[in-house]
Amino acid sequence: GGLKLDGLNSSDVNTLDDYEEGTWTGTCVTGSGSITLNTSYDDGGYVKIGRAVFISGSFAISAISSPSGTLQLHGLPFPCGDLAVNAERAILNTALFFTSSDMNGPAQGQIAAGNSYLAIDNLNGRAARQDAAAFMDTGSSINVGGWYYANA
């Protein structure tokens, strides 16, 4: 079954046969130390249409313990698909609010093949990347939105 466009046979590769809506629960993973999300504000939403997964969410930080190094937001509803030559890599809209004053650039969230998490960086100047975990504080929030490819 599924939605058929232009009278296509349901076994045709162009038949839309997958639609799903739901929520996902985020968790933070850091290079060292820890970041804890507020359990009242740790869910995001998603819509999956075919292989395209559209996500959104706002995640509030309730506690930190000397976080440093990488910052990853885990719990995406599906692993990122594996296409040819890194074609699956996606940059998702990511904003970090109420961070420490030392953060001096916009945030970027990236997902790569096989991963079910966003790797979040602070972009400083001309694409110099800085690990974002150290800039987070109690009361900060991570806001994400965008889409990526999942496996068929």
Side-chain angles (χ1 to χ4, degrees):
L3 176 65
K4 296 180 185 181
L5 306 174
D6 298 326
L8 298 173
N9 182 314
S10 65
S11 63
D12 188 288
V13 296
N14 293 317
T15 299
L16 179 60
D17 61 357
D18 187 10
Y19 179 88
E20 181 178 332
E21 296 181 12
T23 60
W24 56 284
T25 301
T27 58
C28 286
V29 174
T30 59
S32 64
S34 66
I35 294 176
T36 303
L37 295 178
N38 181 325
T39 56
S40 296
Y41 303 98
D42 64 351
D43 290 329
Y46 74 89
V47 174
K48 183 174 186 278
I49 304 171
R51 293 182 62 188
V53 181
F54 299 84
I55 65 164
S56 63
S58 181
F59 304 87
I61 295 172
S62 61
I64 63 168
S65 178
S66 304
S68 65
T70 58
L71 173 60
Q72 298 172 346
L73 181 62
H74 282 241
L76 295 177
F78 302 94
C80 184
D82 191 0
L83 302 175
V85 199
N86 291 327
E88 74 285 339
R89 288 188 178 265
I91 304 296
L92 281 75
N93 294 324
T94 306
L96 304 177
F97 291 107
F98 307 111
T99 59
S100 73
S101 60
D102 296 331
M103 189 167 163
N104 54 9
Q108 169 183 289
Q110 179 175 340
I111 182 172
N115 293 341
S116 294
Y117 64 84
L118 283 176
I120 301 171
D121 292 307
N122 173 38
L123 299 180
N124 174 13
R126 297 181 176 242
R129 298 172 72 179
Q130 295 178 318
D131 292 332
F135 301 114
M136 304 310 290
D137 204 349
T138 299
S140 296
S141 67
I142 302 169
N143 299 275
V144 299
W147 73 277
Y148 64 96
Y149 279 109
N151 285 323

